[in-house]
Amino acid sequence: MAKTAVQFACTECGYSAGRWFGKCPGCDTFGSLVEESPTSPVAAPAPRPLLRLVDVVSDEARRIPTGVPELDRVLGGGLVAASLVLVGGEPGVGKSTLLLMALRSMSTRGRVLLISGEESVAQVNLRAARLGGPEAIEILAETELDAVCATLERERPDVCVIDSVQTLYAQGLGSAPGSVSQVREAAGRLLRVAKENGVATILVGHVTKDGAVAGPRVLEHLVDCVLQFEGDRFHEHRVLRAVKNRFGSTNEIGVFEMTGEGLVGVPNPSELFGRTEPGEIGAAVACVLEGTRPILLEIQSLVAPTDLAMPRRVATGVDPKRLAMIVAVCSRHAGLALGAADVFVNVAGGLRIDEPGADLAIALAIASAARGAPTREGVVAFGEVGLTGRLRVAAQSERRLEECEKLGVVLAVAPKGTPSRSSLRVAESETLRDALRAGLVGSAVAAPSQNPRK
Ligand SMILES: Nc1ncnc2c1ncn2[C@@H]1O[C@H](COP(=O)(O)OP(=O)(O)OP(=O)(O)O)[C@@H](O)[C@H]1O
Ligand SMILES: [Mg+2]
């Protein structure tokens, strides 16, 4: 028999090579390559019969409500039967708590099973008691993959949570639990078991320091849905985000607050994050769109003189490249002298903004800090800032204005062409300079020059 080549795979990024390297060529991590056992060759399979798509009879995807409204929203209306969902998050962010809460409420409607590889049965029971009682959750403390799959095939629960996929161990493979080959094998086998036996399976995965679900990015391709649980341990707010969803929209978010009794959903995050103190310098409110959900968020900025040759632009919750661009446009087209100043920008509540619709509010916060003038009371800004200093209408402006209206905003500073609303004044601005004049108190030219609509 021909000798099979030994393969080395990186535990961080999945890069594989025929020889060992001290530093992974894929992700530059040191000492992360481990030897993978070669798989034995299999006989060539026989060809399979084909089907026409029109002949396939399919039911509407059956959804199981999780009983946690914010989780349902992120999943696109509930957990789809026989789907495989990956929940990633940093240690201690509350993954086990969230899923135990979901299992508790799902246990009243069907059979649910928790496979715990990290915590003992007694530990899980303590947490369940703290969250309000263990209900009818069935539990198995097991890390051996074959045993887990065999149990699932025999018991066929409606929902199964595996906490965590990194603890599962397939005996046939030589590598340690948590390595790329182990996690890939576990996810592949569980995918087959989930689909064949109609078990909706939720895998918990740890994330690395870079934010990727540990090691195996390969997992993200295998599963139907990838949810990221974000937030830091020092803030009580957590955000659940859909990164990939085969059954619903991505970029949906759910907001939670961590309390002693577990995670409490925050159905209206705008109330919490979208308020500024009247007259505060360096604060502005943005209306950003997260998936289909408009949220009002406070953006804070500090502009401080610096002796550094290269002034700092520090962003928390905003893309640093986007911040550098907004600072440059503010200097060049809105007359703000930022060349000898450090600029810091922060998004309230530890949230992260990924969309260009927040540009205008970031610029407004920076301008407020730079000029020492507060933003007008009850003002919200949204719109994309272009490199020429001209503003572009933000996507789904009507939705954003609806949210502003609900929260009693009196003036929205937005690009020209934004649809108007009856109960809210929209100061349409063509350029960034106009928008800053409309949004800041005590600017030389006040709102009337912007032709605000009543
Ligand atoms: N008695 C308590 N009162 C309030 N909050 C608590 C209590 N016990 C735990 N927590 C919160 O729950 C968090 C841990 O939650 P959980 O164990 O669900 O996280 P995890 O993401 O599963 O962590 P790991 O990655 O270690 O499994 C803690 O960081 C803490 O904020
Ligand atoms: Mg846990």
Side-chain angles (χ1 to χ4, degrees), residues 92 94-97 118-119 127 163-164 204 206:
K95 303 176 292 292
S96 309
T97 309
E118 287 188 347
E119 291 169 79
R127 178 182 290 123
D163 192 359
S164 68
V204 174
H206 296 288

Side-chain angles (χ1 to χ4, degrees), residues 7-21:
Q7 285 286 318
F8 293 88
C10 172
T11 50
E12 290 292 322
C13 71
Y15 176 90
S16 96
R19 53 168 284 217
W20 188 81
F21 293 97

Side-chain angles (χ1 to χ4, degrees), residues 89-98 118-119 127 130 163 206 233 238 258-261:
E90 285 183 17
V93 75
K95 303 176 292 292
S96 309
T97 309
L98 175 70
E118 287 188 347
E119 291 169 79
R127 178 182 290 123
R130 178 161 59 85
D163 192 359
H206 296 288
R233 274 170 288 173
R238 308 280 198 271
M258 179 60 96
T259 68
E261 282 77 47

Side-chain angles (χ1 to χ4, degrees), residues 247-375:
F247 311 109
S249 114
T250 50
N251 293 327
E252 277 307 338
I253 68 161
V255 182
F256 296 90
E257 190 176 348
M258 179 60 96
T259 68
E261 282 77 47
L263 290 155
V264 181
V266 179
N268 196 353
S270 296
E271 288 273 4
L272 201 67
F273 302 127
R275 298 256 175 251
T276 49
E277 283 293 314
E280 199 173 20
I281 289 170
V285 179
C287 187
V288 300
L289 212 62
E290 287 284 356
T292 56
R293 185 177 197 182
I295 298 182
L296 265 57
L297 286 179
E298 185 194 5
I299 315 258
Q300 299 152 357
S301 174
L302 173 70
V303 174
T306 180
D307 294 329
L308 294 176
M310 292 225 347
R312 288 191 293 171
R313 276 79 182 92
V314 183
T316 314
V318 178
D319 176 18
K321 281 192 205 140
R322 200 85 202 162
L323 173 64
M325 186 209 94
I326 295 168
V327 169
V329 176
C330 283
S331 310
R332 181 70 184 81
H333 296 288
L336 294 180
L338 300 171
D342 287 336
V343 178
F344 300 88
V345 168
N346 177 38
V347 180
L351 270 78
R352 183 160 55 85
I353 302 178
D354 287 330
E355 65 127 11
D359 289 357
L360 188 53
I362 297 171
L364 195 60
I366 295 172
S368 164
R371 293 205 177 139
T375 49

Side-chain angles (χ1 to χ4, degrees), residues 62-80 85 98-99 101-103 105-106 109 159 202 225 227 240-242 245 247-249 252-256 265 292-293:
R62 191 167 66 85
R63 291 197 184 257
I64 308 164
T66 61
V68 181
E70 296 290 303
L71 178 60
D72 281 345
R73 172 208 294 278
V74 178
L75 286 167
L79 190 62
V80 173
V85 177
L98 175 70
L99 294 174
M101 284 170 62
L103 281 183
S105 49
M106 284 190 285
R109 266 166 267 135
V159 181
I202 304 178
C225 207
L227 309 184
L240 186 68
R241 204 179 278 275
N245 194 349
F247 311 109
S249 114
E252 277 307 338
I253 68 161
V255 182
F256 296 90
T292 56
R293 185 177 197 182

Side-chain angles (χ1 to χ4, degrees), residues 90-431:
E90 285 183 17
V93 75
K95 303 176 292 292
S96 309
T97 309
L98 175 70
L99 294 174
L100 195 62
M101 284 170 62
L103 281 183
R104 268 195 69 221
S105 49
M106 284 190 285
S107 68
T108 54
R109 266 166 267 135
R111 269 191 85 186
V112 301
L113 173 62
L114 171 65
I115 296 182
S116 175
E118 287 188 347
E119 291 169 79
S120 67
V121 177
Q123 265 176 311
V124 176
N125 192 38
L126 272 180
R127 178 182 290 123
R130 178 161 59 85
L131 300 180
E135 305 284 337
I137 302 170
E138 290 172 83
I139 182 163
L140 170 71
E142 180 60 70
T143 54
E144 219 275 294
L145 182 61
D146 289 318
V148 168
C149 289
T151 312
L152 285 179
E153 276 165 354
R154 195 190 62 202
E155 302 290 336
R156 293 182 166 216
D158 296 303
V159 181
C160 169
V161 169
I162 297 184
D163 192 359
S164 68
V165 68
Q166 272 99 354
T167 55
L168 289 185
Y169 176 73
Q171 269 177 347
L173 300 176
S175 45
S179 65
V180 175
S181 49
Q182 287 285 359
V183 174
R184 198 162 42 194
E185 172 76 9
R189 294 264 297 276
L190 289 167
L191 177 72
R192 221 175 45 237
V193 172
K195 302 281 171 197
E196 281 170 7
N197 298 285
V199 184
T201 309
I202 304 178
L203 305 177
V204 174
H206 296 288
V207 297
T208 59
K209 50 188 180 307
D210 311 326
V213 176
R217 294 278 337 221
V218 277
L219 269 194
E220 297 192 4
H221 303 288
L222 274 178
V223 299
D224 296 313
C225 207
V226 180
L227 309 184
Q228 279 284 7
F229 206 25
E230 298 168 356
D232 62 64
R233 274 170 288 173
F234 311 107
H235 274 98
E236 65 272 31
H237 293 107
R238 308 280 198 271
V239 176
L240 186 68
R241 204 179 278 275
V243 182
K244 160 184 169 175
N245 194 349
R246 285 188 182 148
F247 311 109
S249 114
T250 50
N251 293 327
E252 277 307 338
I253 68 161
V255 182
F256 296 90
E257 190 176 348
M258 179 60 96
T259 68
E261 282 77 47
L263 290 155
V264 181
V266 179
N268 196 353
S270 296
E271 288 273 4
L272 201 67
F273 302 127
R275 298 256 175 251
T276 49
E277 283 293 314
E280 199 173 20
I281 289 170
V285 179
C287 187
V288 300
L289 212 62
E290 287 284 356
T292 56
R293 185 177 197 182
I295 298 182
L296 265 57
L297 286 179
E298 185 194 5
I299 315 258
Q300 299 152 357
S301 174
L302 173 70
V303 174
T306 180
D307 294 329
L308 294 176
M310 292 225 347
R312 288 191 293 171
R313 276 79 182 92
V314 183
T316 314
V318 178
D319 176 18
K321 281 192 205 140
R322 200 85 202 162
L323 173 64
M325 186 209 94
I326 295 168
V327 169
V329 176
C330 283
S331 310
R332 181 70 184 81
H333 296 288
L336 294 180
L338 300 171
D342 287 336
V343 178
F344 300 88
V345 168
N346 177 38
V347 180
L351 270 78
R352 183 160 55 85
I353 302 178
D354 287 330
E355 65 127 11
D359 289 357
L360 188 53
I362 297 171
L364 195 60
I366 295 172
S368 164
R371 293 205 177 139
T375 49
R376 290 181 196 283
E377 212 175 316
V379 70
V380 161
F382 56 87
E384 189 177 334
V385 173
L387 288 178
T388 57
R390 189 170 288 279
L391 302 179
R392 285 175 64 107
V393 177
Q396 306 196 38
S397 297
E398 299 220 8
R399 268 217 157 103
R400 298 181 203 240
L401 286 171
E402 248 171 56
E403 179 77 3
C404 293
E405 213 171 33
K406 260 195 263 166
L407 282 132
V409 169
V410 291
L411 173 70
V413 179
K416 200 166 182 174
T418 303
S420 63
R421 297 201 69 92
S422 52
S423 61
L424 169 76
R425 211 171 62 151
V426 180
E428 288 187 71
S429 319
E430 204 163 347
T431 62

